[in-house]
Amino acid sequence: MTEHFDVVIIGGGIHGVGVAQAAACDGYSVLVLEQTGLASATSGSSSKLIHGGLRYLEGLHFSLVRESLRERSLLLKLAPELVQLQAFHIPIYPGTSRRPMTIRAGLSLYALLGGLRPANRFRALRPGDWQDLDGLDMKHLQAVYQYYDAQTDDEALTRAVMQSAADLGAGLQCPAEFTTAEITADGCTVNYSHNGMDKSCSSGVLVNAAGPWINTVAGRIHPPPPTTAVDLVQGTHLVLEGRLEKGAYYLEAPADRRAVFLLPWKGRMLLGTTETVYSGDPADVAPLAGEEAYLLETLRRYFPQRPQKVVDRFAGLRVLPAAGSTVSARSRETRLEADDPRRPRVVAIYGGKLTGYRATAQRVMRLLHRTLPSRKPVANTERLKL
Ligand SMILES: Cc1cc2nc3c(=O)[nH]c(=O)nc-3n(C[C@H](O)[C@H](O)[C@H](O)COP(=O)(O)OP(=O)(O)OC[C@H]3O[C@@H](n4cnc5c(N)ncnc54)[C@H](O)[C@@H]3O)c2cc1C
């Protein structure tokens, strides 16, 4: 007999496991299908920040920043071993495009949107403290602002959320590649290949959390659900030898004024990211030589004395709405696409942030509740420790 689940989720990235946890909390039976490994795609190649997104203030994305700061505060409490506050430093030189007034105004707004908690305090460091900043170039340095955001291990966070879902009964098939689905008024028939064997199950609803594969997966669903045109934008990180003692640095790339982060990472340094539009198979994304040169040039500008020994490199793909505007100007809001918003059988998650996975999962569940039978909730993601 075909096994039945209330919710089948395609994708074991942070969004897929986040929805699995939220659905299991609401008392539903859940199955996650993941083709490669948990966090094997974007969710394991991020900048590993749980943050409000200071730079999104420039795009006036206030609700995104407010929600992300709220989620940051919640995750600091729910997952203290996985999400920790980190001091960030913004150095300003005569050529820096964002002047001290702008940085001060941005950080004040950031603190305000975050609810004036101690974690949102910021200050200008005294010039006497600049020499302690991990070898930051002091020549012509005009100001250094310090504020706080949080860092995580994105793969460990994804695994922890899946474990939390599994503790409430959610199932995971991995490696299991979703192949096709047939949607009717009564539910979904879901076909997948698990360890080379063709399998199928039925479900009340289907969640497409396939990240960069989202429209490929949508194309395998019959009848075809509505889709959003997207661009895949590659972001590369380098792991470098050397330690940062004072925290993280928020740098402005000399080449194009984009933000580049330098972060402490497992006893080494993580430097990223780039923004390069990508058109190949998502499975083949890899750092480009030009991206590496761009990142190292940025590092050289701010830390001219530090040796540059790259020990690892990785790239991930952002899913952004296809548009004519520059990559950095495009919305980072998560977009949900349902086949029928009044009674959805299929919901797809476009874009989004690691930081906001829990809030996104709640939004997905609000949509799915219109279709699923009501059940007695067994837990609440706002209170479940990870
Ligand atoms: C370079 C970069 C840096 C970032 N930095 C940050 C940051 O610091 N902080 C932050 O909050 N956000 C950050 N983000 C955003 C965040 O990483 C993503 O929004 C998030 O990881 C997306 O998760 P996802 O679950 O939607 O996709 P993914 O993690 O890509 O997961 C999709 C999964 O679906 C699986 N899949 C696809 N097709 C199938 C199929 N047919 N069958 C079964 N499984 C399938 C894939 O194998 C994959 O594991 C960053 C993004 C990028 C690209």
Side-chain angles (χ1 to χ4, degrees), residues 4 25 30 34 38 40 68 93 119 121 130 140 153 157 176 183 194 220-221 286 305 309-310 334 377:
H4 180 82
C25 279
V30 180
E34 166 52 49
L38 290 177
S40 56
S68 302
Y93 298 86
R121 65 196 183 274
W130 296 350
H140 307 307
D153 176 333
L157 181 68
I183 314 297
H194 180 46
R220 296 176 179 181
I221 299 172
Q305 308 303 336
K309 183 148 192 265
V310 179
T334 318

mmCIF file with all atom_site columns, all heavy atoms in Angstrom, residues 4 25 30 34 38 40 68 93 119 121 130 140 153 157 176 183 194 220-221 286 305 309-310 334 377:
data_model
loop_
_atom_site.group_PDB
_atom_site.id
_atom_site.type_symbol
_atom_site.label_atom_id
_atom_site.label_alt_id
_atom_site.label_comp_id
_atom_site.label_asym_id
_atom_site.label_entity_id
_atom_site.label_seq_id
_atom_site.pdbx_PDB_ins_code
_atom_site.Cartn_x
_atom_site.Cartn_y
_atom_site.Cartn_z
_atom_site.occupancy
_atom_site.B_iso_or_equiv
_atom_site.pdbx_formal_charge
_atom_site.auth_seq_id
_atom_site.auth_comp_id
_atom_site.auth_asym_id
_atom_site.auth_atom_id
_atom_site.pdbx_PDB_model_num
ATOM 1   N N   . HIS A 1 4   ? 1.136  7.286  3.118   1.00 0.00 ? 4   HIS A N   1
ATOM 2   C CA  . HIS A 1 4   ? 0.559  8.633  3.012   1.00 0.00 ? 4   HIS A CA  1
ATOM 3   C C   . HIS A 1 4   ? 1.164  9.558  4.081   1.00 0.00 ? 4   HIS A C   1
ATOM 4   O O   . HIS A 1 4   ? 1.354  9.159  5.227   1.00 0.00 ? 4   HIS A O   1
ATOM 5   C CB  . HIS A 1 4   ? -0.964 8.594  3.193   1.00 0.00 ? 4   HIS A CB  1
ATOM 6   C CG  . HIS A 1 4   ? -1.576 9.965  3.086   1.00 0.00 ? 4   HIS A CG  1
ATOM 7   N ND1 . HIS A 1 4   ? -1.869 10.555 1.871   1.00 0.00 ? 4   HIS A ND1 1
ATOM 8   C CD2 . HIS A 1 4   ? -1.894 10.877 4.037   1.00 0.00 ? 4   HIS A CD2 1
ATOM 9   C CE1 . HIS A 1 4   ? -2.342 11.774 2.094   1.00 0.00 ? 4   HIS A CE1 1
ATOM 10  N NE2 . HIS A 1 4   ? -2.378 11.989 3.399   1.00 0.00 ? 4   HIS A NE2 1
ATOM 11  N N   . CYS A 1 25  ? 5.498  20.180 14.346  1.00 0.00 ? 25  CYS A N   1
ATOM 12  C CA  . CYS A 1 25  ? 4.991  20.874 15.547  1.00 0.00 ? 25  CYS A CA  1
ATOM 13  C C   . CYS A 1 25  ? 3.476  20.993 15.495  1.00 0.00 ? 25  CYS A C   1
ATOM 14  O O   . CYS A 1 25  ? 2.800  20.905 16.534  1.00 0.00 ? 25  CYS A O   1
ATOM 15  C CB  . CYS A 1 25  ? 5.569  22.290 15.629  1.00 0.00 ? 25  CYS A CB  1
ATOM 16  S SG  . CYS A 1 25  ? 7.213  22.369 16.299  1.00 0.00 ? 25  CYS A SG  1
ATOM 17  N N   . VAL A 1 30  ? 5.070  14.021 8.182   1.00 0.00 ? 30  VAL A N   1
ATOM 18  C CA  . VAL A 1 30  ? 5.944  14.764 7.260   1.00 0.00 ? 30  VAL A CA  1
ATOM 19  C C   . VAL A 1 30  ? 7.006  13.839 6.672   1.00 0.00 ? 30  VAL A C   1
ATOM 20  O O   . VAL A 1 30  ? 7.577  13.002 7.382   1.00 0.00 ? 30  VAL A O   1
ATOM 21  C CB  . VAL A 1 30  ? 6.696  15.894 8.033   1.00 0.00 ? 30  VAL A CB  1
ATOM 22  C CG1 . VAL A 1 30  ? 7.605  16.690 7.097   1.00 0.00 ? 30  VAL A CG1 1
ATOM 23  C CG2 . VAL A 1 30  ? 5.727  16.824 8.740   1.00 0.00 ? 30  VAL A CG2 1
ATOM 24  N N   . GLU A 1 34  ? 15.511 14.483 0.048   1.00 0.00 ? 34  GLU A N   1
ATOM 25  C CA  . GLU A 1 34  ? 16.727 15.243 -0.254  1.00 0.00 ? 34  GLU A CA  1
ATOM 26  C C   . GLU A 1 34  ? 17.610 14.408 -1.179  1.00 0.00 ? 34  GLU A C   1
ATOM 27  O O   . GLU A 1 34  ? 17.957 13.279 -0.848  1.00 0.00 ? 34  GLU A O   1
ATOM 28  C CB  . GLU A 1 34  ? 17.458 15.623 1.040   1.00 0.00 ? 34  GLU A CB  1
ATOM 29  C CG  . GLU A 1 34  ? 18.880 16.122 0.860   1.00 0.00 ? 34  GLU A CG  1
ATOM 30  C CD  . GLU A 1 34  ? 19.051 17.258 -0.166  1.00 0.00 ? 34  GLU A CD  1
ATOM 31  O OE1 . GLU A 1 34  ? 18.304 18.238 -0.114  1.00 0.00 ? 34  GLU A OE1 1
ATOM 32  O OE2 . GLU A 1 34  ? 19.948 17.132 -1.040  1.00 0.00 ? 34  GLU A OE2 1
ATOM 33  N N   . LEU A 1 38  ? 21.773 16.696 3.576   1.00 0.00 ? 38  LEU A N   1
ATOM 34  C CA  . LEU A 1 38  ? 21.253 17.889 4.248   1.00 0.00 ? 38  LEU A CA  1
ATOM 35  C C   . LEU A 1 38  ? 22.249 19.029 4.094   1.00 0.00 ? 38  LEU A C   1
ATOM 36  O O   . LEU A 1 38  ? 23.461 18.819 4.271   1.00 0.00 ? 38  LEU A O   1
ATOM 37  C CB  . LEU A 1 38  ? 21.015 17.612 5.735   1.00 0.00 ? 38  LEU A CB  1
ATOM 38  C CG  . LEU A 1 38  ? 19.856 16.670 6.095   1.00 0.00 ? 38  LEU A CG  1
ATOM 39  C CD1 . LEU A 1 38  ? 19.812 16.449 7.607   1.00 0.00 ? 38  LEU A CD1 1
ATOM 40  C CD2 . LEU A 1 38  ? 18.518 17.208 5.600   1.00 0.00 ? 38  LEU A CD2 1
ATOM 41  N N   . SER A 1 40  ? 23.506 20.357 1.603   1.00 0.00 ? 40  SER A N   1
ATOM 42  C CA  . SER A 1 40  ? 24.561 20.111 0.611   1.00 0.00 ? 40  SER A CA  1
ATOM 43  C C   . SER A 1 40  ? 24.613 21.216 -0.448  1.00 0.00 ? 40  SER A C   1
ATOM 44  O O   . SER A 1 40  ? 25.598 21.315 -1.175  1.00 0.00 ? 40  SER A O   1
ATOM 45  C CB  . SER A 1 40  ? 24.330 18.763 -0.079  1.00 0.00 ? 40  SER A CB  1
ATOM 46  O OG  . SER A 1 40  ? 23.031 18.737 -0.651  1.00 0.00 ? 40  SER A OG  1
ATOM 47  N N   . SER A 1 68  ? 14.222 39.721 10.500  1.00 0.00 ? 68  SER A N   1
ATOM 48  C CA  . SER A 1 68  ? 15.475 38.973 10.654  1.00 0.00 ? 68  SER A CA  1
ATOM 49  C C   . SER A 1 68  ? 16.094 39.223 12.024  1.00 0.00 ? 68  SER A C   1
ATOM 50  O O   . SER A 1 68  ? 16.641 38.302 12.647  1.00 0.00 ? 68  SER A O   1
ATOM 51  C CB  . SER A 1 68  ? 16.468 39.366 9.558   1.00 0.00 ? 68  SER A CB  1
ATOM 52  O OG  . SER A 1 68  ? 15.904 39.127 8.296   1.00 0.00 ? 68  SER A OG  1
ATOM 53  N N   . TYR A 1 93  ? 37.695 55.047 5.677   1.00 0.00 ? 93  TYR A N   1
ATOM 54  C CA  . TYR A 1 93  ? 38.871 55.780 5.168   1.00 0.00 ? 93  TYR A CA  1
ATOM 55  C C   . TYR A 1 93  ? 38.349 56.928 4.290   1.00 0.00 ? 93  TYR A C   1
ATOM 56  O O   . TYR A 1 93  ? 37.150 56.964 3.962   1.00 0.00 ? 93  TYR A O   1
ATOM 57  C CB  . TYR A 1 93  ? 39.739 54.836 4.322   1.00 0.00 ? 93  TYR A CB  1
ATOM 58  C CG  . TYR A 1 93  ? 40.288 53.659 5.097   1.00 0.00 ? 93  TYR A CG  1
ATOM 59  C CD1 . TYR A 1 93  ? 39.534 52.488 5.252   1.00 0.00 ? 93  TYR A CD1 1
ATOM 60  C CD2 . TYR A 1 93  ? 41.552 53.709 5.663   1.00 0.00 ? 93  TYR A CD2 1
ATOM 61  C CE1 . TYR A 1 93  ? 40.038 51.406 5.969   1.00 0.00 ? 93  TYR A CE1 1
ATOM 62  C CE2 . TYR A 1 93  ? 42.065 52.623 6.378   1.00 0.00 ? 93  TYR A CE2 1
ATOM 63  C CZ  . TYR A 1 93  ? 41.303 51.477 6.524   1.00 0.00 ? 93  TYR A CZ  1
ATOM 64  O OH  . TYR A 1 93  ? 41.798 50.415 7.232   1.00 0.00 ? 93  TYR A OH  1
ATOM 65  N N   . ALA A 1 119 ? 22.135 43.458 22.574  1.00 0.00 ? 119 ALA A N   1
ATOM 66  C CA  . ALA A 1 119 ? 22.807 42.913 21.375  1.00 0.00 ? 119 ALA A CA  1
ATOM 67  C C   . ALA A 1 119 ? 22.838 43.930 20.241  1.00 0.00 ? 119 ALA A C   1
ATOM 68  O O   . ALA A 1 119 ? 23.559 43.740 19.265  1.00 0.00 ? 119 ALA A O   1
ATOM 69  C CB  . ALA A 1 119 ? 22.089 41.652 20.915  1.00 0.00 ? 119 ALA A CB  1
ATOM 70  N N   . ARG A 1 121 ? 23.630 47.170 20.598  1.00 0.00 ? 121 ARG A N   1
ATOM 71  C CA  . ARG A 1 121 ? 24.426 48.362 20.897  1.00 0.00 ? 121 ARG A CA  1
ATOM 72  C C   . ARG A 1 121 ? 25.528 48.503 19.847  1.00 0.00 ? 121 ARG A C   1
ATOM 73  O O   . ARG A 1 121 ? 25.983 47.516 19.263  1.00 0.00 ? 121 ARG A O   1
ATOM 74  C CB  . ARG A 1 121 ? 25.022 48.267 22.301  1.00 0.00 ? 121 ARG A CB  1
ATOM 75  C CG  . ARG A 1 121 ? 26.024 47.150 22.474  1.00 0.00 ? 121 ARG A CG  1
ATOM 76  C CD  . ARG A 1 121 ? 26.289 46.860 23.948  1.00 0.00 ? 121 ARG A CD  1
ATOM 77  N NE  . ARG A 1 121 ? 27.302 45.830 24.114  1.00 0.00 ? 121 ARG A NE  1
ATOM 78  C CZ  . ARG A 1 121 ? 27.036 44.528 24.115  1.00 0.00 ? 121 ARG A CZ  1
ATOM 79  N NH1 . ARG A 1 121 ? 25.796 44.101 23.927  1.00 0.00 ? 121 ARG A NH1 1
ATOM 80  N NH2 . ARG A 1 121 ? 27.999 43.639 24.282  1.00 0.00 ? 121 ARG A NH2 1
ATOM 81  N N   . TRP A 1 130 ? 42.446 51.158 17.744  1.00 0.00 ? 130 TRP A N   1
ATOM 82  C CA  . TRP A 1 130 ? 42.510 50.669 16.352  1.00 0.00 ? 130 TRP A CA  1
ATOM 83  C C   . TRP A 1 130 ? 43.665 49.702 16.116  1.00 0.00 ? 130 TRP A C   1
ATOM 84  O O   . TRP A 1 130 ? 43.569 48.800 15.304  1.00 0.00 ? 130 TRP A O   1
ATOM 85  C CB  . TRP A 1 130 ? 42.634 51.851 15.374  1.00 0.00 ? 130 TRP A CB  1
ATOM 86  C CG  . TRP A 1 130 ? 41.447 52.771 15.371  1.00 0.00 ? 130 TRP A CG  1
ATOM 87  C CD1 . TRP A 1 130 ? 40.254 52.559 15.978  1.00 0.00 ? 130 TRP A CD1 1
ATOM 88  C CD2 . TRP A 1 130 ? 41.357 54.053 14.731  1.00 0.00 ? 130 TRP A CD2 1
ATOM 89  N NE1 . TRP A 1 130 ? 39.407 53.636 15.767  1.00 0.00 ? 130 TRP A NE1 1
ATOM 90  C CE2 . TRP A 1 130 ? 40.072 54.558 15.008  1.00 0.00 ? 130 TRP A CE2 1
ATOM 91  C CE3 . TRP A 1 130 ? 42.235 54.829 13.972  1.00 0.00 ? 130 TRP A CE3 1
ATOM 92  C CZ2 . TRP A 1 130 ? 39.638 55.799 14.527  1.00 0.00 ? 130 TRP A CZ2 1
ATOM 93  C CZ3 . TRP A 1 130 ? 41.807 56.058 13.488  1.00 0.00 ? 130 TRP A CZ3 1
ATOM 94  C CH2 . TRP A 1 130 ? 40.521 56.539 13.771  1.00 0.00 ? 130 TRP A CH2 1
ATOM 95  N N   . HIS A 1 140 ? 45.584 56.554 7.138   1.00 0.00 ? 140 HIS A N   1
ATOM 96  C CA  . HIS A 1 140 ? 44.421 57.372 6.762   1.00 0.00 ? 140 HIS A CA  1
ATOM 97  C C   . HIS A 1 140 ? 43.100 56.861 7.355   1.00 0.00 ? 140 HIS A C   1
ATOM 98  O O   . HIS A 1 140 ? 42.027 57.288 6.928   1.00 0.00 ? 140 HIS A O   1
ATOM 99  C CB  . HIS A 1 140 ? 44.268 57.485 5.235   1.00 0.00 ? 140 HIS A CB  1
ATOM 100 C CG  . HIS A 1 140 ? 45.500 57.955 4.533   1.00 0.00 ? 140 HIS A CG  1
ATOM 101 N ND1 . HIS A 1 140 ? 46.162 59.109 4.888   1.00 0.00 ? 140 HIS A ND1 1
ATOM 102 C CD2 . HIS A 1 140 ? 46.196 57.427 3.494   1.00 0.00 ? 140 HIS A CD2 1
ATOM 103 C CE1 . HIS A 1 140 ? 47.221 59.263 4.102   1.00 0.00 ? 140 HIS A CE1 1
ATOM 104 N NE2 . HIS A 1 140 ? 47.277 58.250 3.247   1.00 0.00 ? 140 HIS A NE2 1
ATOM 105 N N   . ASP A 1 153 ? 26.987 27.818 12.335  1.00 0.00 ? 153 ASP A N   1
ATOM 106 C CA  . ASP A 1 153 ? 27.500 26.820 11.403  1.00 0.00 ? 153 ASP A CA  1
ATOM 107 C C   . ASP A 1 153 ? 26.262 26.387 10.619  1.00 0.00 ? 153 ASP A C   1
ATOM 108 O O   . ASP A 1 153 ? 25.383 25.703 11.167  1.00 0.00 ? 153 ASP A O   1
ATOM 109 C CB  . ASP A 1 153 ? 28.127 25.661 12.200  1.00 0.00 ? 153 ASP A CB  1
ATOM 110 C CG  . ASP A 1 153 ? 28.597 24.542 11.284  1.00 0.00 ? 153 ASP A CG  1
ATOM 111 O OD1 . ASP A 1 153 ? 28.037 24.385 10.181  1.00 0.00 ? 153 ASP A OD1 1
ATOM 112 O OD2 . ASP A 1 153 ? 29.509 23.805 11.682  1.00 0.00 ? 153 ASP A OD2 1
ATOM 113 N N   . LEU A 1 157 ? 23.348 23.852 11.804  1.00 0.00 ? 157 LEU A N   1
ATOM 114 C CA  . LEU A 1 157 ? 22.013 24.398 12.101  1.00 0.00 ? 157 LEU A CA  1
ATOM 115 C C   . LEU A 1 157 ? 20.943 23.617 11.320  1.00 0.00 ? 157 LEU A C   1
ATOM 116 O O   . LEU A 1 157 ? 19.910 23.235 11.872  1.00 0.00 ? 157 LEU A O   1
ATOM 117 C CB  . LEU A 1 157 ? 21.961 25.892 11.742  1.00 0.00 ? 157 LEU A CB  1
ATOM 118 C CG  . LEU A 1 157 ? 20.642 26.596 12.022  1.00 0.00 ? 157 LEU A CG  1
ATOM 119 C CD1 . LEU A 1 157 ? 20.376 26.692 13.526  1.00 0.00 ? 157 LEU A CD1 1
ATOM 120 C CD2 . LEU A 1 157 ? 20.616 28.006 11.419  1.00 0.00 ? 157 LEU A CD2 1
ATOM 121 N N   . ALA A 1 176 ? 17.403 10.856 -1.965  1.00 0.00 ? 176 ALA A N   1
ATOM 122 C CA  . ALA A 1 176 ? 16.143 10.546 -2.639  1.00 0.00 ? 176 ALA A CA  1
ATOM 123 C C   . ALA A 1 176 ? 15.810 11.700 -3.570  1.00 0.00 ? 176 ALA A C   1
ATOM 124 O O   . ALA A 1 176 ? 15.614 12.825 -3.103  1.00 0.00 ? 176 ALA A O   1
ATOM 125 C CB  . ALA A 1 176 ? 15.039 10.346 -1.605  1.00 0.00 ? 176 ALA A CB  1
ATOM 126 N N   . ILE A 1 183 ? -0.967 16.151 -9.233  1.00 0.00 ? 183 ILE A N   1
ATOM 127 C CA  . ILE A 1 183 ? -1.799 16.847 -8.230  1.00 0.00 ? 183 ILE A CA  1
ATOM 128 C C   . ILE A 1 183 ? -3.264 16.749 -8.648  1.00 0.00 ? 183 ILE A C   1
ATOM 129 O O   . ILE A 1 183 ? -3.598 17.063 -9.799  1.00 0.00 ? 183 ILE A O   1
ATOM 130 C CB  . ILE A 1 183 ? -1.397 18.341 -8.119  1.00 0.00 ? 183 ILE A CB  1
ATOM 131 C CG1 . ILE A 1 183 ? 0.121  18.521 -8.043  1.00 0.00 ? 183 ILE A CG1 1
ATOM 132 C CG2 . ILE A 1 183 ? -2.101 19.023 -6.938  1.00 0.00 ? 183 ILE A CG2 1
ATOM 133 C CD1 . ILE A 1 183 ? 0.808  17.913 -6.851  1.00 0.00 ? 183 ILE A CD1 1
ATOM 134 N N   . HIS A 1 194 ? 14.954 6.455  -4.745  1.00 0.00 ? 194 HIS A N   1
ATOM 135 C CA  . HIS A 1 194 ? 15.691 6.336  -3.478  1.00 0.00 ? 194 HIS A CA  1
ATOM 136 C C   . HIS A 1 194 ? 16.675 5.175  -3.608  1.00 0.00 ? 194 HIS A C   1
ATOM 137 O O   . HIS A 1 194 ? 16.254 4.045  -3.845  1.00 0.00 ? 194 HIS A O   1
ATOM 138 C CB  . HIS A 1 194 ? 14.698 6.081  -2.346  1.00 0.00 ? 194 HIS A CB  1
ATOM 139 C CG  . HIS A 1 194 ? 15.327 5.936  -0.999  1.00 0.00 ? 194 HIS A CG  1
ATOM 140 N ND1 . HIS A 1 194 ? 16.293 6.781  -0.519  1.00 0.00 ? 194 HIS A ND1 1
ATOM 141 C CD2 . HIS A 1 194 ? 15.120 5.029  -0.010  1.00 0.00 ? 194 HIS A CD2 1
ATOM 142 C CE1 . HIS A 1 194 ? 16.651 6.416  0.699   1.00 0.00 ? 194 HIS A CE1 1
ATOM 143 N NE2 . HIS A 1 194 ? 15.958 5.349  1.025   1.00 0.00 ? 194 HIS A NE2 1
ATOM 144 N N   . ARG A 1 220 ? 8.390  19.466 -12.982 1.00 0.00 ? 220 ARG A N   1
ATOM 145 C CA  . ARG A 1 220 ? 8.106  18.028 -12.900 1.00 0.00 ? 220 ARG A CA  1
ATOM 146 C C   . ARG A 1 220 ? 6.744  17.755 -12.239 1.00 0.00 ? 220 ARG A C   1
ATOM 147 O O   . ARG A 1 220 ? 6.414  16.613 -11.929 1.00 0.00 ? 220 ARG A O   1
ATOM 148 C CB  . ARG A 1 220 ? 9.195  17.329 -12.090 1.00 0.00 ? 220 ARG A CB  1
ATOM 149 C CG  . ARG A 1 220 ? 10.566 17.405 -12.746 1.00 0.00 ? 220 ARG A CG  1
ATOM 150 C CD  . ARG A 1 220 ? 11.580 16.764 -11.815 1.00 0.00 ? 220 ARG A CD  1
ATOM 151 N NE  . ARG A 1 220 ? 12.917 16.785 -12.373 1.00 0.00 ? 220 ARG A NE  1
ATOM 152 C CZ  . ARG A 1 220 ? 13.984 16.282 -11.771 1.00 0.00 ? 220 ARG A CZ  1
ATOM 153 N NH1 . ARG A 1 220 ? 13.847 15.723 -10.579 1.00 0.00 ? 220 ARG A NH1 1
ATOM 154 N NH2 . ARG A 1 220 ? 15.162 16.320 -12.321 1.00 0.00 ? 220 ARG A NH2 1
ATOM 155 N N   . ILE A 1 221 ? 6.017  18.839 -11.943 1.00 0.00 ? 221 ILE A N   1
ATOM 156 C CA  . ILE A 1 221 ? 4.725  18.691 -11.255 1.00 0.00 ? 221 ILE A CA  1
ATOM 157 C C   . ILE A 1 221 ? 3.611  18.873 -12.277 1.00 0.00 ? 221 ILE A C   1
ATOM 158 O O   . ILE A 1 221 ? 3.649  19.781 -13.106 1.00 0.00 ? 221 ILE A O   1
ATOM 159 C CB  . ILE A 1 221 ? 4.606  19.721 -10.106 1.00 0.00 ? 221 ILE A CB  1
ATOM 160 C CG1 . ILE A 1 221 ? 5.714  19.495 -9.077  1.00 0.00 ? 221 ILE A CG1 1
ATOM 161 C CG2 . ILE A 1 221 ? 3.227  19.660 -9.449  1.00 0.00 ? 221 ILE A CG2 1
ATOM 162 C CD1 . ILE A 1 221 ? 5.828  20.568 -7.998  1.00 0.00 ? 221 ILE A CD1 1
ATOM 163 N N   . ALA A 1 286 ? 30.943 26.558 -8.871  1.00 0.00 ? 286 ALA A N   1
ATOM 164 C CA  . ALA A 1 286 ? 32.286 26.487 -8.273  1.00 0.00 ? 286 ALA A CA  1
ATOM 165 C C   . ALA A 1 286 ? 32.912 27.872 -8.315  1.00 0.00 ? 286 ALA A C   1
ATOM 166 O O   . ALA A 1 286 ? 32.595 28.676 -9.209  1.00 0.00 ? 286 ALA A O   1
ATOM 167 C CB  . ALA A 1 286 ? 33.147 25.494 -9.046  1.00 0.00 ? 286 ALA A CB  1
ATOM 168 N N   . GLN A 1 305 ? 49.279 43.566 5.569   1.00 0.00 ? 305 GLN A N   1
ATOM 169 C CA  . GLN A 1 305 ? 50.378 42.763 6.131   1.00 0.00 ? 305 GLN A CA  1
ATOM 170 C C   . GLN A 1 305 ? 50.015 41.286 6.302   1.00 0.00 ? 305 GLN A C   1
ATOM 171 O O   . GLN A 1 305 ? 50.875 40.470 6.631   1.00 0.00 ? 305 GLN A O   1
ATOM 172 C CB  . GLN A 1 305 ? 50.800 43.311 7.515   1.00 0.00 ? 305 GLN A CB  1
ATOM 173 C CG  . GLN A 1 305 ? 51.114 44.782 7.559   1.00 0.00 ? 305 GLN A CG  1
ATOM 174 C CD  . GLN A 1 305 ? 52.223 45.174 6.570   1.00 0.00 ? 305 GLN A CD  1
ATOM 175 O OE1 . GLN A 1 305 ? 53.046 44.347 6.187   1.00 0.00 ? 305 GLN A OE1 1
ATOM 176 N NE2 . GLN A 1 305 ? 52.219 46.426 6.133   1.00 0.00 ? 305 GLN A NE2 1
ATOM 177 N N   . LYS A 1 309 ? 46.906 32.925 2.434   1.00 0.00 ? 309 LYS A N   1
ATOM 178 C CA  . LYS A 1 309 ? 46.981 31.506 2.069   1.00 0.00 ? 309 LYS A CA  1
ATOM 179 C C   . LYS A 1 309 ? 45.568 30.911 2.067   1.00 0.00 ? 309 LYS A C   1
ATOM 180 O O   . LYS A 1 309 ? 44.939 30.738 3.119   1.00 0.00 ? 309 LYS A O   1
ATOM 181 C CB  . LYS A 1 309 ? 47.889 30.766 3.061   1.00 0.00 ? 309 LYS A CB  1
ATOM 182 C CG  . LYS A 1 309 ? 48.065 29.325 2.700   1.00 0.00 ? 309 LYS A CG  1
ATOM 183 C CD  . LYS A 1 309 ? 49.434 28.797 3.087   1.00 0.00 ? 309 LYS A CD  1
ATOM 184 C CE  . LYS A 1 309 ? 49.689 27.447 2.460   1.00 0.00 ? 309 LYS A CE  1
ATOM 185 N NZ  . LYS A 1 309 ? 49.401 26.321 3.266   1.00 0.00 ? 309 LYS A NZ  1
ATOM 186 N N   . VAL A 1 310 ? 45.085 30.622 0.843   1.00 0.00 ? 310 VAL A N   1
ATOM 187 C CA  . VAL A 1 310 ? 43.726 30.080 0.705   1.00 0.00 ? 310 VAL A CA  1
ATOM 188 C C   . VAL A 1 310 ? 43.783 28.571 0.937   1.00 0.00 ? 310 VAL A C   1
ATOM 189 O O   . VAL A 1 310 ? 44.525 27.868 0.261   1.00 0.00 ? 310 VAL A O   1
ATOM 190 C CB  . VAL A 1 310 ? 43.163 30.381 -0.702  1.00 0.00 ? 310 VAL A CB  1
ATOM 191 C CG1 . VAL A 1 310 ? 41.763 29.799 -0.864  1.00 0.00 ? 310 VAL A CG1 1
ATOM 192 C CG2 . VAL A 1 310 ? 43.159 31.882 -0.969  1.00 0.00 ? 310 VAL A CG2 1
ATOM 193 N N   . THR A 1 334 ? 11.619 36.677 0.961   1.00 0.00 ? 334 THR A N   1
ATOM 194 C CA  . THR A 1 334 ? 11.216 35.337 0.544   1.00 0.00 ? 334 THR A CA  1
ATOM 195 C C   . THR A 1 334 ? 9.863  35.435 -0.138  1.00 0.00 ? 334 THR A C   1
ATOM 196 O O   . THR A 1 334 ? 8.980  36.143 0.336   1.00 0.00 ? 334 THR A O   1
ATOM 197 C CB  . THR A 1 334 ? 11.066 34.428 1.783   1.00 0.00 ? 334 THR A CB  1
ATOM 198 O OG1 . THR A 1 334 ? 12.154 34.706 2.642   1.00 0.00 ? 334 THR A OG1 1
ATOM 199 C CG2 . THR A 1 334 ? 11.049 32.980 1.405   1.00 0.00 ? 334 THR A CG2 1
ATOM 200 N N   . PRO A 1 377 ? -1.740 20.861 17.756  1.00 0.00 ? 377 PRO A N   1
ATOM 201 C CA  . PRO A 1 377 ? -0.298 21.117 17.773  1.00 0.00 ? 377 PRO A CA  1
ATOM 202 C C   . PRO A 1 377 ? 0.372  20.388 18.930  1.00 0.00 ? 377 PRO A C   1
ATOM 203 O O   . PRO A 1 377 ? -0.205 20.256 20.007  1.00 0.00 ? 377 PRO A O   1
ATOM 204 C CB  . PRO A 1 377 ? -0.189 22.638 17.954  1.00 0.00 ? 377 PRO A CB  1
ATOM 205 C CG  . PRO A 1 377 ? -1.520 23.166 17.569  1.00 0.00 ? 377 PRO A CG  1
ATOM 206 C CD  . PRO A 1 377 ? -2.526 22.083 17.887  1.00 0.00 ? 377 PRO A CD  1
#
